[in-house]
Amino acid sequence: MLNSETQSNMPSLTQGLALAGLLLDILALGVQAATLEQFTAVSFPLKDIFDNQAASPDGFANFDANGQVLSIDPTFVHELHFLYAGDATGGEFGKSFILNFEDNTTQTLQFVAKNWWRWPDLNHGVIRTQYHFEGNGTTKNFNSTQIYQWSTAIPSESKLQSITLPLNNPAHQLHLFGMAYTPSAPPPNVTTSSSSAKALPETEAVIAVRRARFTTKWEILPSSKSNKEKAQTVEVTLANILPTNTLSPSTSIISNHTISITGGGIATVRPGSIVRLVPGDQVRVDVLVTGSTKGRNATVEVRDKNGKVVGRSPGWAVSELVKTWTPDREVLERHEVPTWWKKAKYGIFIHWGVYSFPAWAPNGTYAEWYKPFPSYKPAPDSFRRFPTDSWNLHNPPNASSPVWNHHLETFGQDVIYDDFIANFTASKFNAGAWVDLFDRAGAKYFVFVTKHHDGYALFDTKNTTHRSSVHLNPHHDFLASLMQTSKREKPNLRRGTYYSLPEWFNPDSFKYGFGSWPGGLAHNAFNSSEIEPYTGRLNISDYIDDLQVPQMLDLATVYDTEIMWCDIGGPNKTLEVAAQFYNHAERCGAVPDFDTPEYATFGAIQARAWESNEGMDPFSYGLNSATNASQYKNATTIVQTLVDIVSKNGNFLLDVGPNADGEIIAPMANNLLDAGKWIDYAGDCDFWFQTSQDLVPAGSVLAPARFTTTPTTFCIVAFNQPTGGQLVIQKRLPLLPGDKIFLMSPDTSVAHTELKWNVTEQGVTKIQVTDDQTQGVQNAWAFQVQFNVG
C-alpha cells in the first residue's frame, strides 16, 4: 500500500529510494552496451472465424465482427492493435469489445470506428486507395477507400485470456482485417514457458523503444548564423512493458533520463527527456538531430541522470527532411501537423460574413447556410451527395421550407441574399478586441473563415473576383487587420484560416458542380423564372485556375496563414497548391494532416492528430438569432469538453459567430472569459497513454474523471465535485512515494494545499479533500500530481 504519508511514517524510505537509484546507476554501468527490450506484436488468429480474402470471384468477402471470442494463452498484455474499417451511413461510431481476464474480471473496451469512406475527405487511413470498384468491377466509385490502424493500452493487472468481439449491427458494421497484442514482460521473478525468457531482478524497469520516427518537422538551430539551418525532429516513444500491477520505484524510471539518436553521421543537438515511466506506461519525446541520411539505420540511446547508458535500441529506419515539396500525393502525405499545433490544444473558430445579418436558421441547422435560393443540377456519379439537412430544408423553395417562410415574413419576396451585403456593416469590428478576447479565453490559436460557401470573401481577392469585403461593402480587408493585429499585439497567438473550396452559385464553378454545391446562378426562390446575380463576379476563364488557386496561394504567402482549413473538397488543385505553400500552411485539401470530426468527438484516445470543432451555439457556427443565449456553451461545458478532447490526444476548436456589426456578443464573450479563468490555472496538460478516463461503477450517474499529463506532473480532472471528504479513482495511476497532490484553485493569492493520499493493494487511489477546499472551484476540479524526481 502507498500513501502520501509513507515518507514521514517510514524514515528509511528516502534512504531506500536513494539506494534504489544508486542500484539503477550501478546496473547502468554494467550494461552500457545492453540492447533494450524488443517491442513485439503477436497476431490473433483470425482465419478460423473470418473469410479473410481481400477479394473473391463472386465479390463477397466477410470481415464482420459479430460476437466471436478470440482466445489466447493467458498473458499479461501491454497494448492491443487493430487494422479495421468502419461501414456506416455516417461518420464515426462506437463499438464495445469485452476483455476477459484470468481472474474472472471483465472490462469493456470502447472502440471508435471511422468509416471506410467519408465525404468530404476528413479522415485519413494507413491504407488508402483513391477509388474502388462496384458491381464486380463494372463501375468505379471515387470515394476514397481507407483502412485504419488503432492501438490502445489495456489493463495488465491480470492476464488476458480472451476478447469478445462486438455484435454486428447492419447500420454500423466493423470490418477487422487484423488484430495483434504486445505482451508485457514477465513480472519480476516470474518465468514463462519460452526458452528465451528470463527471470528479471526486482530492481529493473523493462524499457523498450516502441517507435523511433524521423518526421518532416524541424526547428531552426539556435546556433544557425543564417537562420536557415534546420534540425530534424525524431519522435521517440519509450514503453515500460512490465505489467501495471508491478508498479513500484524499483520497476519505474523515477529520475531524469535523456534520449538521443546516433548512427550514420547523425548528431543529436537536443535530446529528449523523461522523469517518470511506470510499468504499463509509454512516454513520447522529441529529439532534435542533424545529419540524418536516407537508407541508413539509427540507434536510440537512453542515459540515466548521471549520463550513463541504460541501453540502446538499434536498427531504426532513417528518412531525411523533405527539402522540396512536390505535387505528389505520396510526398505530401508525409507532411505533419506542426509541433505548436499539437501543443496548443485549444483554438477559436470564427464564422462571420453576409449570413451574419439574417442570422437565422431553424434549430438543428447551420445559420451560415442561410441560402433559400437553390438551383438544381444532378451530382456527377463520381461524387456522393453530401447529407446536409440545412440544404434539404431549402429544397424546394416553397412554404415547406422554414428558411423560405422566415425570409418571406422578415424581408419580403423582393429581397435577395446579395442585398444583405449592404447590411454587413462591420461598424463595430475591432481586431484588437477580438484577439485580446481569444487570448484571455485561454486559446492558443484562431481560425478565421475567409470565404464561406456563398463566395463572399473577407480579404483582398484582387482580380480573381470582386465578391469580397474589400471591393464591396464595407470595403475593408478584415483578414489583414486580424492577422497584423495579432502579430503585433498577441505574437504568441497562432493564426489560421478557413477557405471553402467550392461556392454554391458561382457561375464559373458550374462545370465543377456536385451535390449541394451545384454552381450556376441561382433561381429566385419566389419567382423561378428569374435568375439572381452573383455580385462582384469578374470574367475569368476557369474557376479553379483563376479563382481558387490564386486565392489560396495569397492566403498562404501574402497573409502568412500558419494553418489552412480547406473545406468540403470537390474538384481542386490542393496538391499543387500545398506543394507551393507548405512552409506556410499546415493542413489542406486532399492530404489533410489531421482528422476533423464536426460537432462530434472521438470516444477513445487516437494516435493520429485530430481536432473537434463545434460552435458556441449548440446547432450553428454562424450567429443564429433563433438560439437563446442560455443555450450557448457555458464555461463548464467548454472546460469539460476541452479536457475530454485533450485527454484523447485531440484539439478543441470552438466557434463564435460575430454579428453583422462585427461584435462577438456578450453572452458568447463572457462564457469564453469564464472558461479562460479555469484554463489559466489548470489547463496545461496533454493526454496519458494508459487511458483517457477513470473506471466508474455500472449505473453510476457520475462522470468519470479524466487524466492528462505533462513531463513532470500528472493531472486528474473530476467533472463532479468530490463528496464525502475524498476523491476515489479506480484506475491505477503513476503515483509513487514522495509524490505530492494539490487541488488547483483560481485563488492564486493562496498557496495550493497539499492533500493526503493513499493507494490500496488493488490500485484504488483515494485523495483526501474537504468540502471547504472544493467549494471555491468551478467548472471542473483539477488535481495536480507533482512527481518526486530522484
Side-chain angles (χ1 to χ4, degrees):
M1 179 178 291
L2 301 177
N3 60 63
S4 57
E5 297 182 312
T6 304
Q7 194 162 11
S8 58
N9 292 342
M10 298 177 62
S12 63
L13 180 59
T14 302
Q15 297 172 338
L17 287 173
L19 180 60
L22 177 61
L23 183 54
L24 285 173
D25 291 342
I26 293 172
L27 287 170
L29 286 172
V31 294
Q32 290 189 18
T35 300
L36 295 173
E37 292 291 322
Q38 292 294 310
F39 193 89
T40 60
V42 180
S43 295
F44 283 95
L46 301 182
K47 64 180 181 179
D48 293 335
I49 57 174
F50 291 110
D51 173 4
N52 270 325
Q53 297 181 75
S56 54
D58 60 359
F60 174 81
N62 176 20
F63 297 94
D64 296 348
N66 191 22
Q68 300 93 336
V69 177
L70 303 179
S71 299
I72 60 174
D73 291 335
T75 305
F76 288 107
V77 172
H78 177 83
E79 190 172 7
L80 290 177
H81 313 279
F82 301 83
L83 192 65
Y84 77 94
D87 193 354
T89 55
E92 298 79 29
F93 58 91
K95 287 285 188 178
S96 295
F97 289 74
I98 304 299
L99 308 179
N100 307 300
F101 296 96
E102 190 180 44
D103 62 359
N104 294 321
T105 62
T106 63
Q107 185 168 320
T108 300
L109 175 65
Q110 183 64 30
F111 186 97
V112 179
K114 301 175 185 177
N115 219 25
W116 65 265
W117 66 270
R118 183 171 179 185
W119 196 94
D121 187 9
L122 297 179
N123 291 336
H124 200 74
V126 294
I127 300 174
R128 182 183 178 92
T129 65
Q130 296 312 301
Y131 59 86
H132 68 276
F133 292 104
E134 293 180 340
N136 285 333
T138 58
T139 59
K140 285 183 179 180
N141 184 313
F142 283 87
N143 286 287
S144 61
T145 301
Q146 300 173 91
I147 294 177
Y148 304 94
Q149 189 273 328
W150 184 63
S151 297
T152 182
I154 69 167
S156 50
E157 298 285 311
S158 178
K159 291 181 179 181
L160 180 71
Q161 62 181 12
S162 67
I163 299 177
T164 304
L165 303 186
L167 293 174
N168 184 40
N169 179 342
H172 297 93
Q173 297 186 76
L174 176 63
H175 305 308
L176 287 169
F177 299 90
M179 284 180 61
Y181 64 91
T182 295
S184 299
N189 291 331
V190 174
T191 60
T192 70
S193 59
S194 171
S195 60
S196 62
K198 62 178 181 179
L200 299 173
E202 293 185 339
T203 53
E204 185 177 346
V206 182
I207 306 302
V209 177
R210 185 190 191 279
R211 192 179 189 189
R213 187 173 64 86
F214 283 71
T215 73
T216 61
K217 297 182 291 185
W218 49 267
E219 293 184 24
I220 298 294
L221 290 173
S223 59
S224 174
K225 295 181 180 179
S226 63
N227 202 36
K228 293 182 179 180
E229 189 177 359
K230 298 177 180 177
Q232 184 178 12
T233 299
V234 182
E235 194 176 83
V236 179
T237 304
L238 295 182
N240 186 340
I241 58 175
L242 283 172
T244 53
N245 61 9
T246 66
L247 187 146
S248 71
S250 62
T251 57
S252 307
I253 287 180
I254 58 174
S255 62
N256 184 56
H257 281 55
T258 57
I259 299 91
S260 58
I261 308 293
T262 62
I266 298 171
T268 296
V269 295
R270 190 179 73 197
S273 175
I274 62 172
V275 299
R276 175 68 57 90
L277 185 56
V278 301
D281 206 359
Q282 294 184 12
V283 177
R284 189 172 62 199
V285 298
D286 288 342
V287 181
L288 287 185
V289 304
T290 57
S292 59
T293 304
K294 185 178 181 180
R296 297 187 179 179
N297 288 331
T299 296
V300 176
E301 191 173 80
V302 180
R303 293 176 178 265
D304 67 11
K305 63 181 180 181
N306 297 317
K308 304 300 182 181
V309 177
V310 173
R312 297 187 177 99
S313 177
W316 293 98
V318 172
S319 59
E320 295 179 293
L321 278 172
V322 176
K323 296 182 174 60
T324 303
W325 293 102
T326 59
D328 301 299
R329 183 179 296 274
E330 60 271 17
V331 174
L332 295 175
E333 283 182 341
R334 291 187 56 200
H335 197 273
E336 302 176 58
V337 293
T339 300
W340 71 259
W341 183 89
K342 294 199 73 171
K343 293 179 178 179
K345 298 301 178 187
Y346 182 40
I348 300 295
F349 214 176
I350 310 131
H351 273 68
W352 188 46
V354 174
Y355 48 82
S356 302
F357 176 73
W360 190 89
N363 279 349
T365 59
Y366 294 161
E368 66 275 15
W369 277 70
Y370 188 97
K371 193 70 177 172
F373 316 119
S375 60
Y376 300 95
K377 182 186 178 186
D381 291 339
S382 59
F383 288 94
R384 189 183 297 268
R385 282 184 174 274
F386 187 61
T388 307
D389 293 339
S390 53
W391 176 267
N392 294 335
L393 287 171
H394 305 162
N395 288 277
N398 57 36
S400 66
S401 165
V403 177
W404 189 93
N405 278 298
H406 171 82
H407 187 90
L408 180 62
E409 295 169 1
T410 307
F411 304 109
Q413 64 181 14
D414 295 328
V415 175
I416 64 173
Y417 183 82
D418 279 12
D419 291 336
F420 294 146
I421 295 174
N423 302 108
F424 182 62
T425 65
S427 57
K428 298 180 181 179
F429 170 73
N430 184 323
W434 279 21
V435 296
D436 181 63
L437 173 64
F438 304 157
D439 183 50
R440 292 167 62 199
K444 300 298 186 291
Y445 64 105
F446 64 81
V447 176
F448 183 62
V449 173
T450 64
K451 184 194 74 169
H452 203 252
H453 313 325
D454 61 358
Y456 178 87
L458 299 177
F459 62 98
D460 188 356
T461 51
K462 299 178 181 176
N463 291 325
T464 63
T465 180
H466 282 174
R467 190 175 177 82
S468 80
S469 63
V470 173
H471 301 96
L472 302 175
N473 194 66
H475 302 286
H476 188 96
D477 190 334
F478 295 107
L479 179 60
S481 293
L482 195 60
M483 293 297 213
Q484 293 166 8
T485 301
S486 181
K487 285 183 181 179
R488 182 178 63 253
E489 299 181 8
K490 302 290 180 181
N492 293 327
L493 192 65
R494 299 288 188 157
R495 304 165 298 279
T497 52
Y498 162 109
Y499 180 83
S500 175
L501 292 167
E503 297 177 16
W504 278 319
F505 303 123
N506 188 325
D508 298 299
S509 66
F510 180 81
K511 69 176 182 179
Y512 300 115
F514 60 95
S516 298
W517 290 266
L521 292 172
H523 291 258
N524 187 282
F526 304 98
N527 184 349
S528 61
S529 65
E530 293 184 5
I531 303 297
E532 302 294 345
Y534 205 63
T535 309
R537 173 184 177 263
L538 300 178
N539 289 323
I540 58 175
S541 298
D542 184 80
Y543 175 78
I544 294 177
D545 290 334
D546 301 330
L547 185 147
Q548 187 188 92
V549 169
Q551 287 184 3
M552 293 168 68
L553 287 174
D554 272 358
L555 292 179
T557 60
V558 175
Y559 293 92
D560 199 28
T561 184
E562 295 183 271
I563 196 163
M564 187 185 294
W565 260 68
C566 299
D567 199 16
I568 301 306
N572 63 78
K573 289 188 175 179
T574 56
L575 288 176
E576 290 84 346
V577 171
Q580 297 185 57
F581 67 64
Y582 255 168
N583 284 334
H584 298 272
E586 302 293 349
R587 174 218 185 259
C588 203
V591 283
D593 288 340
F594 54 88
D595 298 333
T596 54
E598 186 172 296
Y599 269 90
T601 64
F602 291 130
I605 294 173
Q606 301 296 305
R608 178 172 161 82
W610 66 284
E611 177 186 69
S612 176
N613 65 93
E614 56 186 70
M616 176 79 74
D617 186 305
F619 311 112
S620 178
Y621 293 96
L623 180 67
N624 186 2
S625 59
T627 302
N628 189 286
S630 63
Q631 296 176 276
Y632 294 153
K633 291 178 176 62
N634 58 24
T636 297
T637 301
I638 295 171
V639 165
Q640 294 188 6
T641 303
L642 172 63
V643 171
D644 178 67
I645 291 170
V646 170
S647 74
K648 295 165 184 170
N649 195 32
N651 281 26
F652 185 31
L653 186 63
L654 176 63
D655 178 84
V656 295
N659 61 25
D661 293 335
E663 289 182 305
I664 299 173
I665 62 175
M668 289 190 183
N670 292 338
N671 290 0
L672 287 176
L673 291 173
D674 287 343
K677 295 174 184 176
W678 188 95
I679 295 169
D680 184 54
Y681 75 83
D684 185 23
C685 275
D686 204 344
F687 81 103
W688 182 42
F689 160 77
Q690 281 264 338
T691 185
S692 63
Q693 60 191 47
D694 192 22
L695 304 172
V696 294
S700 174
V701 297
L702 299 179
R706 300 313 198 265
F707 304 130
T708 57
T709 188
T710 73
T712 58
T713 64
F714 185 81
C715 308
I716 306 163
V717 183
F719 289 173
N720 301 105
Q721 183 175 354
T723 59
Q726 63 181 358
L727 174 68
V728 179
I729 301 297
Q730 303 296 326
K731 172 71 179 179
R732 190 183 295 273
L733 303 180
L735 285 169
L736 290 172
D739 290 345
K740 297 180 179 180
I741 300 182
F742 301 88
L743 173 64
M744 306 300 287
S745 168
D747 188 356
T748 57
S749 64
V750 179
H752 296 312
T753 303
E754 184 178 352
L755 305 174
K756 295 180 180 180
W757 59 270
N758 68 284
V759 180
T760 69
E761 295 291 345
Q762 293 74 35
V764 175
T765 300
K766 298 181 179 181
I767 303 171
Q768 309 307 312
V769 59
T770 66
D771 292 346
D772 289 341
Q773 290 170 318
T774 60
Q775 283 295 338
V777 178
Q778 296 180 332
N779 309 319
W781 288 260
F783 296 81
Q784 184 187 75
V785 178
Q786 294 182 3
F787 292 148
N788 176 32
V789 180

